[in-house]
Amino acid sequence: MKKITIQPAATELFIGTGLLKSAQLKEYFGGTKVVVVADPAVKDLYGADLAKQLSAELFTLPNSREAKTQDVSNDLINTLFKMKAPKETTLVAIGGGATTDLVGFAASIYMRGIPTVLIPTTLLGAVDASIGGKTAIDTPFGKNLIGTLHHPKAIFTDFDTFQTLPESEWFNGWAEILKMGLIQRTSLWNLGFEKRNDPALIINAIEAKIAVVEQDPKEKGLRRILNFGHTIGHALEAISDYQIPHGQAVAIGCAAEAHLSMQLDYLSKEEFAQIETTYLSFELKLPKNYDRSKLLGAMAHDKKRAAGELRFVLIDKIGHALPFEGAYCRPVEARALEPTLDWMEKRYA
Amino acid sequence: MKKITIQPAATELFIGTGLLKSAQLKEYFGGTKVVVVADPAVKDLYGADLAKQLSAELFTLPNSREAKTQDVSNDLINTLFKMKAPKETTLVAIGGGATTDLVGFAASIYMRGIPTVLIPTTLLGAVDASIGGKTAIDTPFGKNLIGTLHHPKAIFTDFDTFQTLPESEWFNGWAEILKMGLIQRTSLWNLGFEKRNDPALIINAIEAKIAVVEQDPKEKGLRRILNFGHTIGHALEAISDYQIPHGQAVAIGCAAEAHLSMQLDYLSKEEFAQIETTYLSFELKLPKNYDRSKLLGAMAHDKKRAAGELRFVLIDKIGHALPFEGAYCRPVEARALEPTLDWMEKRYA
């Protein structure tokens, strides 16, 4: 087991195998009041056992793709009020990123904030959603548009829980690891998907994200590099009504935003060609109902955007995002996007 | 005009007269995108003018005692989404504590937080609600039970806006100033209600609150002293269904919690007698539907309470709250409360 302390909130991150069944986990909670939150599938796999082990209450989320809504957050909060859960209560979120995002949000506003412990059970949750304190719920206007920064007290990342994941879920995490390779850490670039279950690699990816969020916890500058591939990626997800998996959307987004970086003369043609080849090794496809005007419309709702402008994180070589005077993202006119969209539409039709 | 910078968020606080009409205010906002939020009465008095002056959008809150609800917060947030307000938008809340609390909350969760500027138009708002970054909405389970810590970028406190306040609204602020005198700053104790409009006194009260919240921004210890008088005060408000003004409830609460401090042998009988006399100079009355079991029931929902226990801030002399090993609040058994409730019921029947 490896232990890392994440600043500024001194979040204790435990990574290893067998953590969920360890005496350590039980010890960590001691006698504190705990409520475990899981979706029905994760409840059956781990949540119910965990709640029993910790003598905790168990809250089961609805089994639906719309689980990350204000209604569900309210149901959880109202349940806490009904059980008169005091401000010392710890909410334990076990599951994927949607679960940890939602539970983090509810915890951040219940009585002005109660502690959380996150137990990510997906590669994406482990390397991305659980790190950095972002919480979120979805709104009718878009995903993750309501949220807070609320750092967990601890994170337990147990590799054992990944072993039942389907291939597409592994790829959701893998797309984020490749992104980290492109923007910040070449040792994560292009290792081959067969390495996805290598603990050393996963720990490297987690440490890469930690390095970024510790330098800029409030996303005033550097942290924005993590949005590389996501301006287009999020818009692709949105227009598909979230039928396209996150990993697919982010992978296409990264390839396209690397293309844009080349188009704007920051990235060399040679490096772009290497990136293009890597992403061609995966089966990536635009959403069936893809349409350029829809994509541009969806991008207008992006959180990075300032009044009316589209903004992109760009790279100038593999492993390095452009600082742009400390803003780490750059306005790009819709017209300048056209060659990139031409390329993307041809490549991933 | 006086300018104070409040840490840790470097909130700029401007206090004086004529601020709302000053060129300084307009300059402060420069060209930033602003949305002004006010209730209908404050809109007519100042809000509409202010929005015009800043070329800002104006959002009018519903005119109702239930204005601080999630529904109203959602209406405001959805309006921001509809106008595609970017993350750089500043929300300006002008009004009493309910308005600044609600707008602060909505701003803290919109796109994970956008900046706010608060313009308190009541003495209570100026000396209490606007200082320290607490935001809140009410729930069916109690007031202020959902909220965040979200420090404003700036506060403009213009004495001119207090001049139209009714007497009971002045007393809402005055009760908090007296409380500051009891827990922390003797220069605020017992100055006489006729001083309520003295700028030097108001600034002293604001600085007293700043001194506390700067030392303990996250309410881990010292800041809890600000809850003196509020365990009982909040419960009195709750059982009256908020028909009793906040100042009345807090004044009775302060007197009663001073009595409890004496009962538990922390406060001398002589000092308590002085406190009792001061509060007798005001016309204070328990809610018409007061009932001891209701009061105890309402206290069970208090945020300070740990599992099943009632907790109180206590004083050991006028101008000093008890530290209790850094917790600044102490569990008290319901039984030990009885003599205090006997006294309170007799005194304020």
Side-chain angles (χ1 to χ4, degrees):
Chain A
M1 193 203 69
K2 192 176 169 93
K3 188 183 157 188
I4 300 170
T5 303
I6 311 173
Q7 298 306 341
T11 301
E12 294 182 282
L13 167 62
F14 303 88
I15 318 176
T17 55
L19 293 185
L20 271 184
K21 290 177 178 156
S22 67
Q24 228 156 354
L25 183 83
K26 202 169 168 174
E27 246 167 58
Y28 177 84
F29 287 98
T32 51
K33 163 112 181 151
V34 174
V35 178
V36 172
V37 185
D39 70 24
V42 173
K43 183 197 87 174
D44 290 346
L45 285 167
Y46 318 106
D49 278 353
L50 179 66
K52 206 170 161 188
Q53 216 181 315
L54 303 177
S55 311
E57 308 266 358
L58 179 64
F59 181 90
T60 308
L61 297 165
N63 190 6
S64 123
R65 282 186 52 257
E66 277 105 56
K68 230 174 86 181
T69 63
Q70 192 176 53
D71 283 349
V72 175
S73 166
N74 282 343
D75 282 349
L76 171 55
I77 285 175
N78 289 339
T79 301
L80 295 173
F81 283 130
K82 281 175 201 154
M83 57 172 81
K84 303 196 180 194
K87 225 172 133 57
E88 291 77 11
T89 309
T90 300
L91 281 193
V92 176
I94 180 164
T99 297
T100 55
D101 279 2
L102 172 107
V103 174
F105 178 69
S108 73
I109 64 172
Y110 180 75
M111 292 194 179
R112 292 203 189 92
I114 60 173
T116 58
V117 169
L118 309 183
I119 308 182
T121 58
T122 63
L123 180 62
L124 178 63
V127 302
D128 192 17
S130 68
I131 309 294
K134 280 191 182 178
T135 80
I137 55 172
D138 299 335
T139 79
F141 296 92
K143 298 226 344 164
N144 297 327
L145 287 182
I146 286 183
T148 53
L149 266 187
H150 185 65
H151 296 283
K153 204 169 65 170
I155 305 165
F156 289 86
T157 296
D158 187 336
F159 296 122
D160 296 347
T161 63
F162 305 167
Q163 304 316 316
T164 50
L165 295 177
E167 203 77 333
S168 74
E169 190 51 58
W170 278 104
F171 190 71
N172 287 339
W174 192 250
E176 295 292 348
I177 293 176
L178 282 178
K179 177 201 76 180
M180 292 302 302
L182 286 178
I183 57 175
Q184 200 236 9
R185 192 169 284 207
T186 47
S187 61
L188 291 169
W189 173 245
N190 222 0
L191 290 166
F193 189 49
E194 69 282 3
K195 295 247 190 192
R196 63 192 176 275
N197 202 359
D198 173 349
L201 169 71
I202 297 172
I203 291 173
N204 187 14
I206 292 171
E207 288 178 332
K209 176 147 185 194
I210 290 172
V212 174
V213 299
E214 281 192 337
Q215 280 177 76
D216 177 24
K218 294 192 173 178
E219 203 171 13
K220 302 283 182 203
L222 181 68
R223 185 166 177 173
R224 293 190 188 130
I225 67 173
L226 300 172
N227 288 313
F228 181 72
H230 284 65
T231 305
I232 290 174
H234 280 157
L236 289 172
E237 285 186 276
I239 64 174
S240 82
D241 199 20
Y242 300 91
Q243 295 304 308
I244 179 176
H246 182 69
Q248 286 261 337
V250 167
I252 295 175
C254 284
E257 294 179 22
H259 186 278
L260 182 63
S261 303
M262 176 192 69
Q263 276 293 123
L264 296 172
D265 277 334
Y266 297 112
L267 182 68
S268 73
K269 288 190 165 46
E270 294 68 29
E271 289 215 311
F272 173 70
Q274 196 198 315
I275 294 167
E276 188 177 26
T277 306
T278 294
Y279 285 105
L280 281 175
S281 71
F282 306 109
E283 277 178 54
L284 303 175
K285 249 188 161 357
L286 289 172
K288 280 191 197 109
N289 63 339
Y290 174 86
D291 172 286
R292 188 181 292 202
S293 62
K294 272 190 214 160
L295 185 84
L296 291 166
M299 285 196 289
H301 264 297
D302 192 88
K303 285 200 291 301
K304 287 179 291 304
R305 151 194 71 88
E309 266 176 2
L310 293 173
R311 291 185 178 192
F312 288 87
V313 178
L314 298 170
I315 57 176
D316 57 3
K317 61 179 180 187
I318 290 171
H320 191 255
L322 274 164
F324 288 121
E325 294 154 15
Y328 290 92
C329 66
R330 213 203 89 152
V332 174
E333 282 179 37
R335 217 177 28 174
L337 260 181
E338 286 176 14
T340 292
L341 299 182
D342 292 342
W343 171 86
M344 181 180 82
E345 288 162 12
K346 199 175 137 199
R347 196 49 92 218
Y348 301 114
Chain B
M1 193 203 68
K2 192 177 167 89
K3 188 183 157 190
I4 300 169
T5 303
I6 311 173
Q7 298 307 340
T11 300
E12 293 184 281
L13 167 62
F14 303 89
I15 319 177
T17 55
L19 293 185
L20 271 184
K21 290 175 178 157
S22 68
Q24 227 156 355
L25 184 82
K26 204 169 168 174
E27 246 167 57
Y28 177 84
F29 287 98
T32 51
K33 162 113 182 151
V34 174
V35 178
V36 173
V37 186
D39 69 25
V42 173
K43 184 198 86 174
D44 290 345
L45 285 168
Y46 318 107
D49 279 352
L50 179 67
K52 206 170 161 188
Q53 216 181 314
L54 303 177
S55 312
E57 308 267 357
L58 179 65
F59 182 90
T60 308
L61 297 165
N63 189 7
S64 128
R65 283 186 53 258
E66 276 105 54
K68 231 173 86 180
T69 63
Q70 192 176 54
D71 283 348
V72 175
S73 165
N74 282 344
D75 282 349
L76 171 55
I77 285 174
N78 290 340
T79 301
L80 294 174
F81 283 130
K82 280 173 201 155
M83 54 173 81
K84 304 195 181 195
K87 224 171 133 55
E88 291 78 11
T89 308
T90 299
L91 282 193
V92 176
I94 180 164
T99 297
T100 54
D101 279 3
L102 172 107
V103 174
F105 178 70
S108 73
I109 64 171
Y110 181 75
M111 291 194 181
R112 293 203 187 93
I114 60 174
T116 58
V117 169
L118 309 183
I119 307 182
T121 58
T122 63
L123 180 62
L124 178 64
V127 302
D128 193 17
S130 68
I131 310 294
K134 280 190 180 179
T135 80
I137 55 172
D138 300 334
T139 78
F141 297 93
K143 297 217 1 153
N144 297 327
L145 287 182
I146 286 182
T148 53
L149 267 187
H150 186 64
H151 297 281
K153 203 170 66 168
I155 305 166
F156 288 87
T157 296
D158 187 337
F159 296 122
D160 296 347
T161 62
F162 305 168
Q163 305 315 318
T164 49
L165 295 177
E167 203 77 333
S168 74
E169 190 51 58
W170 279 104
F171 190 71
N172 288 339
W174 192 250
E176 295 292 348
I177 293 177
L178 283 178
K179 178 202 75 181
M180 291 303 301
L182 286 178
I183 57 175
Q184 199 235 10
R185 191 168 286 207
T186 47
S187 62
L188 290 169
W189 173 244
N190 221 1
L191 290 167
F193 188 49
E194 69 282 1
K195 296 245 189 193
R196 63 191 176 276
N197 203 359
D198 173 350
L201 169 71
I202 297 173
I203 291 173
N204 186 14
I206 291 172
E207 289 178 331
K209 176 148 185 193
I210 291 172
V212 173
V213 300
E214 281 192 337
Q215 281 177 73
D216 177 23
K218 294 192 171 175
E219 203 173 13
K220 300 285 183 203
L222 181 68
R223 184 167 178 173
R224 293 190 187 129
I225 68 172
L226 300 171
N227 288 311
F228 181 72
H230 285 64
T231 307
I232 289 174
H234 280 156
L236 289 173
E237 286 185 276
I239 63 173
S240 82
D241 199 20
Y242 300 91
Q243 296 305 308
I244 179 176
H246 183 69
Q248 286 261 336
V250 167
I252 295 175
C254 284
E257 294 180 21
H259 185 278
L260 182 64
S261 302
M262 176 192 69
Q263 275 295 122
L264 296 172
D265 279 333
Y266 296 113
L267 182 68
S268 74
K269 286 187 166 47
E270 293 69 28
E271 289 215 312
F272 172 70
Q274 196 199 314
I275 294 167
E276 188 178 27
T277 306
T278 294
Y279 284 105
L280 280 176
S281 71
F282 305 108
E283 275 179 55
L284 304 175
K285 249 187 161 358
L286 289 172
K288 281 191 194 106
N289 64 340
Y290 174 87
D291 172 284
R292 187 180 293 200
S293 63
K294 272 191 214 158
L295 185 84
L296 291 167
M299 286 197 287
H301 264 297
D302 192 88
K303 283 200 290 301
K304 288 179 291 304
R305 153 193 70 87
E309 266 176 0
L310 293 173
R311 291 185 178 192
F312 287 87
V313 178
L314 298 170
I315 56 175
D316 57 2
K317 61 179 179 188
I318 290 171
H320 191 255
L322 274 163
F324 288 121
E325 294 155 11
Y328 290 92
C329 67
R330 213 203 87 152
V332 174
E333 283 179 35
R335 217 178 29 174
L337 260 182
E338 285 176 14
T340 291
L341 298 182
D342 291 342
W343 171 86
M344 180 180 83
E345 289 162 12
K346 200 175 137 198
R347 195 52 91 220
Y348 300 114

